[in-house]
Amino acid sequence: MGWNRRAFIGATTLAAAGTLAAAQGHGAGDAAAGRRIRRIATEEAFSIPEIYRALAELGKSPSRNLDMILLRTMYTERRGFEKLGDRLLDLDDERIRIMDENGVDMHVLSLTAPGVQMFDTETAVSFAKLANDRLAEAIARHPARYAGLASFAPQDPKRAVKEMERAVRELGLHGFVVNSHTNNEYYDDQKYWPIFEVAEALDRAIYIHPRAPADTMAEPFRDYNMDSAMWGYGIETSTHALRLIMAGVFDRFPKLKIVLGHMGEGIPYWLWRIDYMSAAGVSLGRIKAKLKPSEYFRRNFLITTSGVEDPLVMQYCLEKLGAENIMWAIDYPYQPTEPAVKFMDSVSVPPEVREQIYHRNAERVFHIPEARA
Amino acid sequence: MGWNRRAFIGATTLAAAGTLAAAQGHGAGDAAAGRRIRRIATEEAFSIPEIYRALAELGKSPSRNLDMILLRTMYTERRGFEKLGDRLLDLDDERIRIMDENGVDMHVLSLTAPGVQMFDTETAVSFAKLANDRLAEAIARHPARYAGLASFAPQDPKRAVKEMERAVRELGLHGFVVNSHTNNEYYDDQKYWPIFEVAEALDRAIYIHPRAPADTMAEPFRDYNMDSAMWGYGIETSTHALRLIMAGVFDRFPKLKIVLGHMGEGIPYWLWRIDYMSAAGVSLGRIKAKLKPSEYFRRNFLITTSGVEDPLVMQYCLEKLGAENIMWAIDYPYQPTEPAVKFMDSVSVPPEVREQIYHRNAERVFHIPEARA
């Protein structure tokens, strides 16, 4: 998710112009083959009025916490984000129109960052439940257009597990979303492991979405918007993901699937060095993981294209991770839909790889039924 | 620089075996062409007894500072680093033997991290001078085998400037090295800009070498050796480099050259997203830089291959940054020489690109005379 003013404004303009739709028609796919490819976007944000209002209220705090500062800009002062609320709250009108205009079949929806993680435990638990109920209702209204990742409150791992079970078994949701740390704690702490246990047991992936760097690493990110999607988000989230690997989470839960946005938050680039240098940590008894970090990354992680429309990064990740580990995403409403489609339509990959990234991997990982022919 | 026990031990074994030398002979180059390619390694560490002893003394501190903890492991307890001192201090025997055995023509030497940056100002100023004098002496003893990057004490920018001028004008050194932050401060703070001003005026590059994450971002890096070359080094250094870009350092000093090791400390992978998301920071008046971040990165930065022997990363960087922006490095004595040579000998690039990376870029940037034919 990118708190980007120009991008956000851009989304309006492009969608309104509907140029891509005009050029391709609804649901157009692989231009070369003239075939329709299903487009499932996997990191698409929504909110509900109760949570939106509560976050705007939180943003009034004079706290120096980086997420608080972001809330102030986006929700309270709304500088550059005048239309954000409308866009996040809409699940029936403009969103579907923009999807139609750009040939996007499905949004895999998730409650926008920081989710319920900045609220006190009781509020977080009840908001997660409410958000999941509303999400299920939206999917029921538009079953062909939406899938959904359930929220939970890491503040109370026991009740998180209950809500995760309810979200999948009763509401039929497709996976989970969490926004990196909670109260500056990372989930390599074993008190959080019941969350991983139930995700693995339910065979539902957890999308670890960014939030601003934790207070415990905040200072160097305070200037130049370094706390934002430009840099701090990736550092926060990649550091968190590596902590999970090094703690041995994936030895305990070998079938757990974690999804990272933004082309893997930088980790794919570093894998050679992480593997090489992790040997020292193993020797010193500081790293508990049994396999090489890259082995977990290929086995237990998927990445999405959100916010990185760079053909060279795509090529790198295809070679490094394999096509089965990459999913397409837009990051609506923070990033414009048209360039995200254009990127994935035009990036130079074999047709079957384009299908994997556009929909097949999402169908497999999130248990989304294949589209009728 | 990688505080990696196995790698360090590996260096001994491989060098002693001398297998590569046996296979290729001294100075062997492009295998395909059968031509000799000059090999200049650009991130090669040394120390002097006075500084080595002072760092071992510092390592006795019970401080929780991450660099202090590293000093304790490496210099004081010497866990896994039994031979490190001998290797860092030697500039006449084993080092040159290992270079010979692997066909390495030249080490561009730099005082090993954290350099003089953990000492009080007076000590740092005098140690920098001493280290530079010794470095110049070593080069005088082995003029065909060494070039050198001068140290300076950022603790006192005015005296740093003087030492930088002396190091180039009187000692003939080839550039500068600094190990990221000093006392948890980054050099986007304008009080440090005289350092950039003189480097630009002297036309000598500054190699920003990693150190452990600053106290201001230390906490998430405390476990699992995350503070080390495995992860924290790159985060510390890339964050620092981006702060320089965003502060407008390269608008003020458009000809300044910065060198980053470890294939650019992750930044090349992120450039698309950094460019895209920096627009928001510019809109909000928080980013002062006039060009796109990637424009500075291509114009003002070079990267080296130290610690990343990954052909795919090389391919990515060649496409993203161009062959003129990449230099070869070993990271002696922290990483073994033989695989570094093997990597650069075997990576699939045109012969002229191999020459650029192996020596021509280093000759240009560090003002190293071309070898006689």
Side-chain angles (χ1 to χ4, degrees):
Chain A
M1 179 167 52
W3 322 103
N4 184 296
R5 181 186 166 177
R6 293 193 192 167
F8 183 57
I9 292 167
T12 335
T13 324
L14 293 171
T19 48
L20 193 76
Q24 300 199 324
H26 171 69
D30 191 305
R35 286 196 300 115
R36 190 193 187 292
I37 294 188
R38 190 185 200 192
R39 297 191 182 100
I40 301 178
T42 56
E43 189 195 306
E44 314 313 318
F46 81 102
S47 191
I48 62 174
E50 294 84 346
I51 295 177
Y52 186 88
R53 279 196 300 268
L55 289 176
E57 200 55 35
L58 269 189
K60 293 178 186 167
S61 153
S63 164
R64 293 187 76 236
N65 171 276
L66 292 176
D67 279 304
M68 286 288 200
I69 292 171
L70 278 165
L71 290 182
R72 204 175 306 149
T73 304
M74 297 176 61
Y75 286 77
T76 313
E77 301 173 354
R78 304 181 79 185
R79 291 173 64 193
F81 293 92
E82 293 76 7
K83 295 190 171 177
L84 181 65
D86 294 343
R87 293 256 164 97
L88 286 171
L89 299 173
D90 160 50
L91 288 163
D92 300 281
D93 298 314
E94 188 191 25
R95 181 186 299 259
I96 287 182
R97 183 168 58 72
I98 291 173
M99 291 167 68
D100 286 345
E101 285 168 350
N102 291 279
V104 176
D105 295 275
M106 181 176 273
H107 275 191
V108 180
L109 297 166
S110 45
L111 180 65
T112 197
V116 302
Q117 292 163 244
M118 290 177 71
F119 301 114
D120 67 84
T121 305
E122 289 310 313
T123 307
V125 168
S126 71
F127 270 164
K129 201 165 149 31
L130 186 64
N132 292 339
D133 287 340
R134 297 279 174 77
L135 178 54
E137 289 163 21
I139 295 170
R141 288 198 303 279
H142 306 281
R145 310 308 297 274
Y146 295 138
L149 306 184
S151 294
F152 56 87
Q155 292 93 326
D156 185 336
K158 207 176 257 182
R159 284 194 281 174
V161 165
K162 279 201 177 153
E163 180 58 16
M164 290 167 82
E165 286 174 332
R166 184 185 82 93
V168 171
R169 294 199 178 127
E170 295 179 28
L171 303 181
L173 294 180
H174 301 82
F176 306 104
V177 63
V178 73
N179 303 283
S180 201
H181 74 85
T182 297
N183 296 327
N184 304 308
E185 290 184 352
Y186 296 100
Y187 311 141
D188 54 293
D189 183 330
Q190 296 209 12
K191 76 181 180 190
Y192 294 109
W193 288 23
I195 289 165
F196 299 129
E197 187 178 12
V198 72
E200 187 192 46
L202 292 165
D203 188 22
R204 291 294 183 282
I206 302 176
Y207 202 125
I208 304 187
H209 187 282
R211 59 185 295 191
D215 292 334
T216 49
M217 63 182 285
E219 292 311 316
F221 301 90
R222 288 203 179 280
D223 311 291
Y224 318 119
N225 249 28
M226 296 267 292
D227 55 334
S228 75
M230 188 182 74
W231 189 245
Y233 281 24
I235 300 305
E236 162 64 28
T237 312
S238 54
T239 300
H240 193 164
L242 287 176
R243 290 182 62 99
L244 301 182
I245 288 175
M246 303 305 164
V249 164
F250 303 99
D251 291 317
R252 180 85 76 84
F253 309 109
K255 294 188 172 173
L256 177 63
K257 294 284 186 191
I258 300 291
V259 182
L260 296 178
H262 318 103
M263 285 294 196
E265 309 292 4
I267 294 174
Y269 189 78
W270 281 109
L271 284 176
W272 193 96
R273 186 159 167 82
I274 294 169
D275 275 355
Y276 186 89
M277 288 295 169
S278 67
V282 171
S283 293
L284 291 163
R286 293 172 185 165
I287 292 176
K288 287 154 195 143
K290 293 193 171 70
L291 305 178
K292 282 196 296 181
S294 66
E295 293 180 270
Y296 300 108
F297 202 78
R298 289 198 187 86
R299 186 186 74 182
N300 296 98
F301 286 77
L302 291 99
I303 69 171
T304 80
T305 64
S306 57
V308 184
E309 290 159 14
D310 184 336
L312 200 57
V313 172
M314 174 65 89
Q315 185 186 325
Y316 179 91
C317 288
L318 282 169
E319 291 262 351
K320 192 55 127 188
L321 307 174
E324 69 278 15
N325 287 324
I326 308 173
M327 298 187 287
W328 181 62
I330 302 166
D331 199 359
Y332 183 90
Y334 300 100
Q335 301 227 181
T337 298
E338 181 179 351
V341 171
K342 214 166 188 171
F343 167 67
M344 196 59 230
D345 276 1
S346 64
V347 69
S348 175
V349 294
E352 66 273 19
V353 168
R354 202 181 318 278
E355 293 202 356
Q356 282 178 285
I357 299 173
Y358 249 146
H359 68 98
R360 289 203 198 288
N361 294 332
E363 288 162 355
R364 182 184 80 243
V365 171
F366 295 128
H367 302 263
I368 296 168
E370 289 181 31
R372 282 168 299 180
Chain B
M1 179 167 51
W3 320 105
N4 183 296
R5 182 184 165 176
R6 290 190 193 172
F8 183 57
I9 293 167
T12 334
T13 325
L14 293 171
T19 47
L20 193 75
Q24 299 199 325
H26 170 68
D30 192 302
R35 285 194 304 114
R36 190 195 188 289
I37 294 189
R38 190 185 200 191
R39 297 190 183 101
I40 301 178
T42 57
E43 189 196 305
E44 314 313 317
F46 81 102
S47 192
I48 62 174
E50 294 84 346
I51 294 178
Y52 186 88
R53 280 195 299 267
L55 289 174
E57 200 55 37
L58 270 188
K60 292 177 185 166
S61 153
S63 164
R64 292 187 77 234
N65 171 275
L66 292 177
D67 278 305
M68 286 288 201
I69 292 170
L70 278 165
L71 289 182
R72 204 175 305 148
T73 304
M74 297 176 60
Y75 286 77
T76 313
E77 301 173 353
R78 307 183 75 185
R79 290 173 64 193
F81 292 92
E82 293 77 8
K83 293 190 175 178
L84 180 66
D86 294 342
R87 293 256 162 99
L88 286 171
L89 299 174
D90 160 50
L91 288 163
D92 301 282
D93 298 315
E94 187 190 25
R95 182 187 298 258
I96 288 183
R97 183 168 58 71
I98 291 173
M99 291 168 70
D100 287 344
E101 285 168 353
N102 290 280
V104 176
D105 295 274
M106 183 177 270
H107 275 192
V108 179
L109 296 166
S110 46
L111 181 65
T112 197
V116 301
Q117 293 164 242
M118 290 176 72
F119 301 115
D120 66 83
T121 304
E122 290 308 314
T123 308
V125 169
S126 70
F127 271 166
K129 200 165 152 25
L130 186 64
N132 293 339
D133 287 341
R134 297 278 175 77
L135 179 53
E137 290 162 19
I139 296 170
R141 288 197 304 278
H142 306 282
R145 310 310 296 275
Y146 295 139
L149 306 183
S151 293
F152 55 87
Q155 292 93 327
D156 185 336
K158 207 176 258 182
R159 283 196 280 174
V161 165
K162 278 200 177 155
E163 180 58 16
M164 291 167 81
E165 286 174 335
R166 186 186 80 94
V168 171
R169 294 199 178 129
E170 296 179 26
L171 302 180
L173 294 180
H174 301 83
F176 306 104
V177 63
V178 73
N179 303 282
S180 201
H181 75 87
T182 297
N183 296 327
N184 304 307
E185 290 185 353
Y186 296 101
Y187 312 142
D188 54 291
D189 184 330
Q190 296 210 11
K191 76 181 181 190
Y192 295 109
W193 289 22
I195 289 165
F196 298 130
E197 187 178 13
V198 72
E200 188 192 45
L202 292 165
D203 188 23
R204 290 294 183 282
I206 302 176
Y207 201 125
I208 305 186
H209 186 282
R211 58 186 292 189
D215 292 335
T216 48
M217 62 181 285
E219 291 312 315
F221 300 90
R222 289 204 178 279
D223 312 290
Y224 318 119
N225 250 26
M226 296 268 290
D227 56 335
S228 75
M230 188 182 76
W231 189 245
Y233 280 24
I235 300 306
E236 162 65 27
T237 312
S238 55
T239 300
H240 193 165
L242 287 176
R243 290 181 62 99
L244 300 183
I245 289 175
M246 302 307 164
V249 164
F250 303 100
D251 291 318
R252 181 84 76 84
F253 308 110
K255 294 188 171 173
L256 177 63
K257 295 285 186 191
I258 300 291
V259 182
L260 296 178
H262 318 104
M263 285 296 197
E265 309 291 3
I267 294 175
Y269 189 79
W270 282 109
L271 284 176
W272 193 96
R273 185 158 167 83
I274 293 169
D275 276 354
Y276 186 90
M277 289 295 170
S278 66
V282 172
S283 294
L284 290 164
R286 293 173 186 165
I287 293 176
K288 288 152 195 144
K290 293 192 170 70
L291 305 178
K292 283 196 296 183
S294 66
E295 294 180 270
Y296 301 108
F297 202 78
R298 288 197 188 89
R299 187 186 72 180
N300 297 98
F301 286 77
L302 290 99
I303 68 171
T304 79
T305 64
S306 57
V308 183
E309 290 158 12
D310 184 336
L312 199 57
V313 172
M314 174 65 89
Q315 185 187 323
Y316 178 91
C317 288
L318 281 170
E319 293 261 351
K320 192 55 129 188
L321 307 174
E324 69 279 15
N325 287 323
I326 308 174
M327 297 187 285
W328 181 62
I330 302 165
D331 199 359
Y332 182 88
Y334 300 100
Q335 301 227 183
T337 298
E338 182 179 351
V341 171
K342 216 167 184 169
F343 167 67
M344 196 59 231
D345 275 0
S346 64
V347 67
S348 175
V349 294
E352 65 274 18
V353 168
R354 201 181 319 275
E355 293 203 358
Q356 282 178 286
I357 299 173
Y358 249 145
H359 68 99
R360 288 201 199 289
N361 294 332
E363 288 162 354
R364 183 185 77 243
V365 171
F366 296 128
H367 301 263
I368 296 168
E370 288 182 31
R372 282 168 299 180

